[in-house]
């Protein structure tokens, strides 16, 4: 699939086709980009429950023509009982990946929907929540088809997830592709919130029920933690590259890493040749190592950062950093890998208003904890914390962990606006840099930039420069050339999901809309 979808009145891209269709239906009824995004997000939470859901977090970038984008941080902090001493007393050396102690941070996603809707009131949004949730409620009540991704994720974590409260009954049996998965509890929750309002999730009857169930299950989150939660409006980080101002989410996300990679590649691209040449891939991989070193040393809850993130995207710093990229060899690098299961969605409406939004449970099926009568799977974002007091991200009540989630938005000098994003944990900045550089710097079409083969650098305890995964659609000369430079190359399948599920939209000055989705996902572009 190399053809980029085009339209004029509205466009949505999502990693599940039902979500894209839900967003398009809202646009057709006169809804704005935010309203369409919420409809798509709600449907995605139903159709892709292993990757995102009401018990997860989210981040938004929202653009209004003629104005700078705004960022909404809809992530939750650690619960009041999430204390280092409590985990150490139980013999843990790291936050567990499943169970009640993994469900240790407030789920912020719903507050992001609420903040985005409030922001869009300036656009005279008029559609009620009952309409925005209509298709999601239908799919939850009547069922969606189990995809290969859902089935595979269950097979991979079945032994751990089956031990968690409520999981086996609610989701454990959906391991057969094509089975019809119904989520009646989730349908009831969406219907309830559509009548009482989204705030009920944190400070109403829904919140009371969730808090009681979390306590019963042994989570360190209390009703007070839910009631204190609010989304936060933050200023996006920005770097200039490829003829555009590229915006992404600030800490606690790793958005800074994406900007560092692109800022460095902007300085070496003239020597890099084609987007698939050895020089280009090598430069982007080495730039990623520099970016991750900074991320791992400094990025955490912004209230606890000693160095402001903007320090690393000023020209003088990038000019100095680029000298550390060796065109003839690799930089030593290693550390813990951070995988992640996430969804990214993009929307542009007929007035040129754009949304780039991401939401996640962190790992597939999050903590595995199914909370209460609503089939809410609580995320395991707390694994982003360390139980080491001297870590940049120590577990602490009220503190947010490092997030891999980082949607992006580019504003070109010629007037184009481009929301883009991906899932993929540690790999997100690498995929975003590949996507943007191919489109903006090398002139590929939007769909080509996403469909063509990708790579992913993973840390390794045994390999000095990390492990470089390459989709096997790269030519043998690329594999050999990268190995000669010192990279430890490992081939994976032709459309490997570990490379992320990316998406992108572009609006041109003349009103033309373009959209692309990732064939590695179950996604689609929907437009009219």
């Amino acid at each position: 699939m190399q053809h980029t979808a085009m339209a004029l009145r509205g466009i949505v891209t999502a990693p599940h086709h039902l979500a894209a269709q839900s967003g398009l239906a809202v646009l057709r009824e006169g809804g704005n980009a935010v309203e369409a995004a919420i409809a798509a997000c709600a449907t995605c939470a139903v159709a892709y429950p292993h990757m995102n859901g009401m018990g997860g977090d989210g981040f938004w970038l929202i653009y209004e023509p003629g104005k700078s984008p705004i960022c909404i941080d809809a992530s939750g902090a650690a619960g009041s009982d999430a204390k280092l001493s409590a985990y150490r007393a139980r013999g843990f050396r790291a936050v567990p990946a499943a169970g009640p102690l993994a469900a240790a941070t407030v789920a912020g996603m719903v507050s992001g929907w609420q903040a985005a809707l409030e922001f869009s009131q300036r656009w005279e949004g008029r559609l009620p929540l009952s309409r925005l949730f209509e298709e999601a409620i239908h799919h939850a009540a009547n069922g969606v088809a189990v995809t290969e991704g859902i089935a595979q994720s269950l097979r991979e974590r079945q032994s751990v997830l089956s031990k968690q409260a409520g999981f086996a009954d609610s989701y454990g049996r959906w391991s057969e592709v094509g089975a019809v998965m119904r989520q009646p509890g989730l349908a009831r929750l969406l219907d309830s919130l559509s009548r009482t309002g989204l705030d009920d999730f944190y400070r109403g009857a829904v919140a009371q029920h969730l808090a009681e169930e979390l306590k019963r299950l042994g989570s360190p989150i209390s009703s007070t933690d839910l009631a204190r939660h609010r989304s936060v409006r933050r200023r996006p980080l920005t770097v200039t590259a490829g003829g555009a101002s590229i915006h992404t989410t600030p800490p606690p996300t790793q958005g800074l890493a994406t900007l560092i990679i692109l800022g460095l590649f902007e300085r070496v691209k003239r020597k890099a040749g084609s987007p698939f040449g050895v020089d280009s891939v090598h430069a982007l991989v080495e730039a990623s190592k520099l970016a991750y070193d900074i991320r791992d040393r400094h990025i955490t809850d912004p209230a606890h950062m000693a160095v402001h993130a903007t320090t690393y995207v000023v020209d003088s710093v990038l000019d100095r950093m680029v000298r550390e990229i060796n065109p003839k060899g690799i930089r030593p690098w290693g550390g813990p890998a951070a995988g992640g299961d996430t969804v990214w969605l993009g929307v542009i409406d007929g007035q040129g208003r754009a949304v780039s939004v991401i939401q996640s449970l962190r790992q597939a099926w999050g903590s595995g904890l199914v909370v209460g009568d609503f089939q809410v799977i609580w995320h395991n974002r707390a694994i982003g914390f360390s139980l080491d007091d001297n870590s940049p991200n120590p577990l602490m009540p009220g503190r947010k962990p490092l997030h891999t989630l980082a949607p992006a938005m580019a504003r070109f000098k010629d007037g184009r606006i481009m929301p883009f994003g991906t899932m993929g944990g540690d790999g997100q900045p690498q995929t975003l840099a590949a996507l943007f550089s191919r489109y903006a710097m090398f002139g590929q079409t939007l769909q080509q930039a996403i469909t063509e083969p990708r790579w992913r650098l993973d840390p390794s305890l045994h390999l000095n420069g990390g492990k470089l995964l390459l989709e096997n659609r790269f030519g043998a000369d690329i594999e050999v050339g990268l190995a000669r430079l010192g990279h430890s190359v490992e081939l994976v399948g032709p459309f490997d999901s570990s490379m992320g599920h990316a998406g992108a939209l572009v609006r041109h000055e003349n009103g033309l809309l373009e959209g692309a989705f990732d064939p590695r996902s179950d996604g689609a572009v929907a437009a009219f």
Side-chain angles (χ1 to χ4, degrees):
M1 169 60 179
Q2 298 284 346
H3 300 293
T4 301
M6 293 183 285
L8 293 172
R9 297 175 64 187
I11 194 164
V12 184
T13 184
H16 196 287
H17 59 93
L18 292 178
Q21 292 169 26
S22 292
L24 178 63
V26 167
L27 290 179
R28 283 185 176 276
E29 292 181 25
N32 60 51
V34 164
E35 291 172 322
I38 289 170
C41 284
T43 293
C44 220
V46 172
Y48 255 22
H50 60 311
M51 288 192 170
N52 74 131
M54 311 287 277
D57 283 336
F59 291 87
W60 291 68
L61 291 173
I62 304 174
Y63 168 75
E64 185 175 358
K67 300 182 180 180
S68 296
I70 65 115
C71 165
I72 297 171
D73 171 352
S75 66
S80 52
D81 288 329
K83 299 174 182 176
L84 279 170
S85 57
Y87 284 73
R88 289 171 176 166
R90 299 184 65 168
F92 290 110
R93 295 185 177 181
V95 176
L101 294 181
T105 60
V106 172
M109 192 178 86
V110 174
S111 71
W113 296 357
Q114 184 179 26
L117 270 180
E118 290 170 356
F119 177 83
S120 74
Q121 288 176 358
R122 68 177 68 188
W123 302 341
E124 299 180 353
R126 58 180 178 78
L127 296 179
L129 281 173
S130 58
R131 172 60 194 93
L132 302 185
F133 289 167
E134 182 180 331
E135 293 192 23
I137 292 171
H138 172 84
H139 294 312
N142 295 286
V144 293
V146 172
T147 66
E148 173 58 34
I150 293 174
Q152 181 179 343
S153 68
L154 281 171
R155 292 193 295 268
E156 289 175 350
R157 295 196 74 199
Q158 187 71 48
S159 61
V160 174
L161 296 171
S162 61
K163 302 173 184 176
Q164 309 312 320
F167 189 86
D169 291 340
S170 292
Y171 294 101
R173 62 186 183 277
W174 305 120
S175 58
E176 182 181 344
V177 176
V180 179
M181 178 174 59
R182 295 179 176 86
Q183 300 164 83
L186 188 54
R188 290 193 299 273
L189 174 58
L190 288 165
D191 178 66
S192 174
L193 293 177
S194 74
R195 290 182 282 104
T196 61
L198 297 174
D199 198 63
D200 204 40
F201 191 89
Y202 301 99
R203 286 164 285 276
V206 168
Q208 182 179 352
H209 174 70
L210 292 174
E212 289 172 353
E213 289 297 301
L214 285 164
K215 181 178 180 179
R216 181 182 68 82
L217 294 168
S219 166
I221 299 169
S222 69
S223 59
T224 301
D225 297 324
L226 292 177
R228 284 176 177 167
H229 174 79
R230 300 288 192 286
S231 64
V232 181
R233 180 89 63 87
R234 301 192 190 277
R235 179 176 297 178
L237 296 176
T238 305
V239 78
T240 300
S245 294
I246 307 160
H247 310 282
T248 188
T249 48
T253 82
Q254 67 170 344
L256 174 65
T258 301
L259 300 190
I260 291 174
I261 298 169
L262 286 170
L264 294 175
F265 191 65
E266 172 77 3
R267 287 157 170 77
V268 301
K269 71 177 187 297
R270 293 183 185 88
K271 305 174 184 177
S274 78
F276 305 108
V278 171
D279 291 342
S280 290
V281 176
H282 173 71
L284 285 165
V285 168
E286 294 304 296
S288 298
K289 294 176 183 178
L290 292 168
Y292 289 157
D293 283 346
I294 290 170
R295 178 200 66 185
D296 294 342
R297 289 200 312 268
H298 298 297
I299 301 301
T300 182
D301 185 325
H304 296 270
M305 286 181 61
V307 181
H308 200 282
T310 54
T311 301
Y312 296 101
V313 288
V314 298
D315 287 340
S316 60
V317 173
L318 292 170
D319 290 341
R320 185 172 68 250
M321 287 176 62
V322 76
R323 299 182 198 130
E324 299 182 45
I325 295 178
N326 180 359
K328 302 298 183 182
I330 66 169
R331 176 185 179 87
W333 180 75
D341 286 284
T342 302
V343 299
W344 176 87
L345 306 95
V347 182
I348 305 178
D349 64 26
Q351 284 68 50
R353 299 171 298 215
V355 169
S356 179
V357 57
I358 198 165
Q359 45 191 39
S360 173
L361 292 175
R362 181 54 171 88
Q363 289 183 322
W365 304 102
S367 67
L369 213 65
V370 179
V371 182
D373 299 333
F374 296 128
Q375 291 181 280
V376 175
I377 303 170
W378 214 263
H379 59 178
N380 62 346
R381 184 60 57 181
I383 63 173
F385 285 120
S386 170
L387 298 186
D388 179 357
D389 289 297
N390 298 316
S391 162
N393 283 279
L395 179 65
M396 181 187 300
R399 183 169 181 154
K400 295 186 177 187
L402 166 68
H403 277 259
T404 53
L405 309 180
M409 182 98 65
R411 293 189 296 165
F412 289 84
K413 293 177 181 177
D414 63 11
R416 284 174 292 165
I417 183 73
M418 177 185 177
F420 62 111
T422 186
M423 58 80 92
D426 252 348
Q428 284 187 37
Q430 300 175 59
T431 296
L432 294 177
L435 191 170
F436 182 83
S437 62
R438 289 172 177 181
Y439 173 76
M441 299 177 183
F442 293 108
Q444 287 198 311
T445 68
L446 209 57
Q447 189 62 57
Q448 280 179 320
I450 290 175
T451 301
E452 295 286 6
R454 293 204 291 264
W455 66 89
R456 174 183 171 130
L457 174 70
D458 273 353
S460 171
L461 296 176
H462 309 292
L463 300 171
N464 189 39
K467 178 173 62 177
L468 185 58
L469 306 178
L470 285 183
E471 287 186 322
N472 61 15
R473 293 179 292 136
F474 276 103
D477 58 324
I478 304 301
E479 178 188 357
V480 171
L482 289 168
R484 283 176 177 166
L485 288 172
H487 296 284
S488 298
V489 178
E490 179 179 318
L491 296 182
V492 297
F495 289 92
D496 195 278
S497 190
S498 70
M499 300 295 157
H501 297 167
L505 303 173
V506 170
R507 184 185 189 273
H508 296 258
E509 272 281 87
N510 65 357
L512 174 66
L513 303 173
E514 293 184 299
F517 75 99
D518 204 321
R520 300 163 184 82
S521 73
D522 299 293
V525 172
F528 79 124

